[in-house]
Amino acid sequence: MEKKWWHDKVAYQIYPKSFYDSNGDGIGDLQGIISKLDYLKDLGVDILWISPIYPSPFADQGYDISDYYNIDPTFGTLEDMDELIREAGKRQMYILMDLVVNHCSDEHEWFEKACADPYGEYGNLFYIEDRKEGELPCNWRSYFGGPVWEPLPGHPDKQYMHVFHKKQPDLNWENPAVREEVYKNINWWLDKGLGGFRVDAIINIKKALPYKDYPSDRDDGLSDIALMLAEAQGIGEFLGEMQARTFGPHDAFSVGEVFNLKEGELPDFVGDKGYFSSIFDFSTTSFGKSDKGWYACKKPSPDDYKKCFFRSQEEMGDVGFYSNIIENHDEPRGVSYYIPEGEVCNASKKLLAAMYFLMRGLPFIYQGQEIGMENLGVVPLDQVDDISALDQYQVSLDAGLTPEEALKVISIYSRDNARTPVQWTSEKNAGFTEGTPWLMVNPNYTSINVEAQENDPDSVLAFYKKLIALRKNPDYKETLVYGTVIPYLEDQHNLMAYHRKGEKDLLVIGNFQKDPQTAVLPSTCKNLLLNNYQDLDMNEEKTAVHLKGYQAIVIEL
Ligand code: GLC
Ligand code: CA
């Protein structure tokens, strides 16, 4: 694997609406991000991915873009964006934007022009088909529920495709004009000094055509879109072209939101000549998902969790670099999801942090994760913002769950869990805004907040800083960045342990349960590099460690 400039970096995701509000309107903004750059620098992160900040009607929180060349006034101006790129640069930090080009907004001028003249040049930028009452071109179900087909505004005899929300019409990538527009836009931003992009929902750009039905998996007669994607061939032509025309020449960093990868495709996607610099490892978030809906999903146990990681690492080998996460703006808070109920505490939060962060790949921290922010818990339906959660509430009811049970289900998976405002202080609204926050603040902000943790050497925040410092420590960097991952004691229940072997031989060990357990070491421990407890119980020969509940350590052998 060729070495790249970004391999030894640490990345951080900002969900701008909820990061920090600088002007009291209750919504986070670019000046808010700029004012926290020193905080982020001090934490030790280098690459900042900012979820969409383009003009948008916010049907899907900005993932529905109505102008690719501007900034939504809610967040600021293009000048603010230039300032952010400049200020980040001064601190040797890189900014990534979100590239959302599977679809645009129905309020983008392309779609408005397509509606005005479906037969014209703009109509060809979308998937528009003739419409007959009671018949659909195919039975694909959109990700947010219902068929992917919607009548074209102003043309009852026509319909357009949207694999996400109906306000997110899919762009027709088969049309070279779409691709040219996308490349032009990417280069425009990269020329401004952007570090690169996180590439949204990209696997959906290639449809299996001509349209056909797939077996239905619910009473609605529709089929999961994954079935279509499994048959779609030839996405590589688009992605290879995009890489060669945009990211490649700029030496930009790109990380794909890639689900449904086909067998043997990893090298094409993230090898030395891959379409992307990296892709996210979603093996733990996808584990136990059901096409029936959230109500039928199953959480991974600690043993499932480690197996997911080990399998991904084995598949990746030295081909490329995964981007590793425990959460993002589409997932529940990692600590609430992966740690068994009732056992979420500082020790278990730190264990979860160490286990994923020290894997081979680029670690991403999602805003608030560094202070151990948790899920919201059950909230009344009228306070749910996430369109996906609202759809899944209905899916649960349709499957026979009571309203109470349905609320409980969505409380586990709702995307609102990760989207509540960052908890900066113990003051009103967690210090996020002087106004009324656009989404409720998690009531636990009085105990979980940045201010309280900044001066506490035992805090979750302090532990994240130690993890980042360890990964950047010149003595261990080569090993922690490039060293191979070798699972250790893989069959020991609720123990997650692996070597990172490079110039050095390091062993990461976590006792993923509340009861103590002993781990025998493969050789004597030379050096204890990290510990989420004050002390470590080791035998005299230094060949075994007796770990407390959720104790996690890193040792040098
Ligand atoms: C991605 C985004 C998600 C969005 C969807 C549609 O999955 O992460 O937030 O809803 O794409 O753009
Ligand atoms: Ca604001």
Side-chain angles (χ1 to χ4, degrees):
M1 190 190 66
E2 252 173 53
K3 295 201 171 168
K4 298 281 166 59
W5 64 265
W6 51 269
H7 281 156
D8 60 359
K9 305 284 184 267
V10 175
Y12 186 95
Q13 181 188 355
I14 291 180
Y15 193 70
K17 264 190 121 168
S18 301
F19 188 64
Y20 185 64
D21 175 25
S22 72
N23 62 352
D25 64 358
I27 305 175
D29 43 54
L30 289 178
Q31 284 301 331
I33 299 174
I34 293 171
S35 71
K36 295 291 185 190
L37 282 177
D38 287 332
Y39 164 77
L40 295 167
K41 182 73 192 172
D42 180 57
L43 174 61
V45 299
D46 315 279
I47 297 178
L48 305 179
W49 153 30
I50 305 179
S51 279
I53 43 181
Y54 313 86
S56 166
F58 292 95
D60 184 22
Q61 291 304 355
Y63 283 91
D64 46 323
I65 297 171
S66 55
D67 179 359
Y68 287 92
Y69 289 90
N70 216 330
I71 300 294
D72 194 278
T74 321
F75 297 122
T77 61
L78 262 182
E79 286 68 48
D80 292 326
M81 186 60 192
D82 289 333
E83 185 183 336
L84 174 62
I85 295 173
R86 226 176 23 246
E87 287 300 319
K90 280 188 200 160
R91 294 165 175 82
Q92 294 85 45
M93 293 163 106
Y94 305 82
I95 303 289
L96 311 181
M97 285 178 94
D98 220 304
L99 184 69
V100 188
V101 288
N102 171 66
H103 45 266
C104 60
S105 161
D106 65 340
E107 297 182 33
H108 192 289
E109 72 166 325
W110 294 339
F111 192 69
E112 287 171 352
K113 288 183 176 166
C115 293
D117 178 13
Y119 297 99
E121 122 191 48
Y122 288 92
N124 286 332
L125 300 182
F126 299 91
Y127 292 96
I128 297 178
E129 296 295 325
D130 290 336
R131 177 164 172 262
K132 278 188 234 106
E133 209 48 61
E135 255 178 58
L136 295 174
C138 57
N139 74 340
W140 311 347
R141 182 189 302 111
S142 78
Y143 288 102
F144 298 146
V148 298
W149 296 101
E150 185 71 17
L152 190 71
H155 299 270
D157 59 331
K158 300 229 163 275
Q159 54 195 337
Y160 68 94
M161 189 205 293
H162 59 91
V163 303
F164 289 92
H165 194 262
K166 64 180 180 197
K167 283 184 71 61
Q168 295 169 300
D170 279 51
L171 288 164
N172 180 2
W173 275 66
E174 306 293 336
N175 180 350
V178 164
R179 308 204 296 273
E180 287 305 319
E181 284 297 338
V182 169
Y183 306 155
K184 195 173 95 190
N185 180 253
I186 297 175
N187 287 328
W188 187 82
W189 284 108
L190 291 176
D191 289 340
K192 274 183 173 292
L194 209 66
F197 285 93
R198 174 265 188 181
V199 188
D200 184 73
I202 196 67
I203 220 73
N204 297 285
I205 63 173
K206 186 76 195 185
K207 274 74 176 168
L209 298 174
Y211 303 119
K212 68 168 201 196
D213 287 356
Y214 292 87
S216 174
D217 43 35
R218 295 186 202 165
D219 292 342
D220 59 7
L222 302 174
S223 65
D224 194 298
I225 217 126
L227 300 175
M228 177 282 284
L229 292 176
E231 282 192 6
Q233 295 293 334
I235 193 171
E237 282 162 42
F238 299 158
L239 297 181
E241 183 181 84
M242 175 161 73
Q243 201 282 339
R245 297 276 305 278
T246 62
F247 311 135
H250 281 90
D251 196 17
F253 173 74
S254 60
V255 52
E257 187 201 23
V258 173
F259 289 99
N260 315 80
L261 206 64
K262 299 188 177 70
E263 223 174 292
E265 278 186 336
L266 258 185
D268 300 339
F269 276 68
V270 293
D272 284 343
K273 304 222 156 26
Y275 314 137
F276 301 111
S277 309
S278 177
I279 60 173
F280 289 104
D281 177 8
F282 288 122
S283 59
T284 57
T285 59
S286 307
F287 180 92
K289 290 274 155 81
S290 160
D291 45 19
K292 298 230 167 303
W294 290 354
Y295 74 90
C297 294
K298 181 176 147 251
K299 280 190 186 192
S301 69
D303 286 343
D304 298 326
Y305 184 80
K306 74 172 172 192
K307 278 187 202 132
C308 287
F309 262 114
F310 291 161
R311 198 173 315 126
S312 292
Q313 288 291 333
E314 198 189 325
E315 277 165 15
M316 183 61 89
D318 192 40
V319 166
F321 238 53
Y322 266 123
S323 286
N324 295 321
I325 58 162
I326 61 167
E327 64 202 42
N328 63 29
H329 67 294
D330 290 330
E331 296 296 328
R333 288 289 179 177
V335 294
S336 302
Y337 191 64
Y338 298 113
I339 300 168
E341 224 175 316
E343 297 179 15
V344 179
C345 60
N346 277 1
S348 56
K349 287 177 179 180
K350 292 173 186 173
L351 171 134
L352 198 67
M355 291 303 124
Y356 97 98
F357 193 92
L358 298 170
M359 279 284 165
R360 188 171 180 280
L362 181 68
F364 272 72
I365 298 170
Y366 177 72
Q367 66 182 36
Q369 179 189 321
E370 75 274 24
I371 55 166
M373 278 180 67
E374 300 172 5
N375 275 0
L376 258 181
V378 179
V379 295
L381 193 63
D382 61 6
Q383 295 205 37
V384 175
D385 174 80
D386 173 21
I387 46 175
S388 195
L390 292 170
D391 170 53
Q392 290 292 334
Y393 177 76
Q394 194 53 48
V395 169
S396 306
L397 293 185
D398 293 348
L401 275 72
T402 65
E404 222 173 53
E405 290 164 342
L407 271 188
K408 171 87 181 121
V409 165
I410 65 168
S411 77
I412 300 171
Y413 295 97
S414 173
R415 304 192 296 178
D416 291 344
N417 284 314
R419 298 178 180 186
T420 60
V422 170
Q423 296 161 204
W424 294 103
T425 70
S426 59
E427 271 141 55
K428 191 161 172 256
N429 300 325
F432 159 72
T433 179
E434 304 268 305
T436 309
W438 74 276
L439 184 69
M440 69 184 286
V441 175
N442 192 317
N444 67 14
Y445 73 90
T446 46
S447 54
I448 301 177
N449 63 68
V450 171
E451 195 182 41
Q453 296 194 14
E454 262 184 325
N455 298 312
D456 174 3
D458 288 331
S459 64
V460 175
L461 179 62
F463 190 75
Y464 268 96
K465 287 187 189 171
K466 285 183 204 159
L467 275 172
I468 296 174
L470 178 61
R471 194 171 188 272
K472 294 188 173 182
N473 180 329
D475 290 342
Y476 302 107
K477 187 165 150 169
E478 189 278 340
T479 304
L480 285 175
V481 174
Y482 294 108
T484 42
V485 172
I486 305 168
Y488 180 62
L489 298 178
E490 210 176 335
D491 297 327
Q492 189 164 327
H493 178 54
N494 286 353
L495 186 88
M496 182 163 174
Y498 54 92
H499 292 264
R500 294 300 312 276
K501 261 193 189 153
E503 279 169 6
K504 315 246 174 188
D505 185 0
L506 306 181
L507 191 61
V508 182
I509 314 178
N511 175 21
F512 214 139
Q513 61 178 17
K514 64 178 189 323
D515 298 324
Q517 75 172 310
T518 298
V520 173
L521 304 179
S523 54
T524 46
C525 166
K526 257 204 247 158
N527 211 346
L528 175 64
L529 303 180
L530 191 76
N531 184 1
N532 67 345
Y533 275 80
Q534 298 292 353
D535 45 18
L536 174 64
D537 187 357
M538 202 168 355
N539 65 352
E540 232 171 274
E541 299 76 36
K542 298 192 168 181
T543 52
V545 285
H546 187 60
L547 299 168
K548 299 197 179 73
Y550 289 105
Q551 185 160 20
I553 56 169
V554 182
I555 57 178
E556 187 177 348
L557 295 171

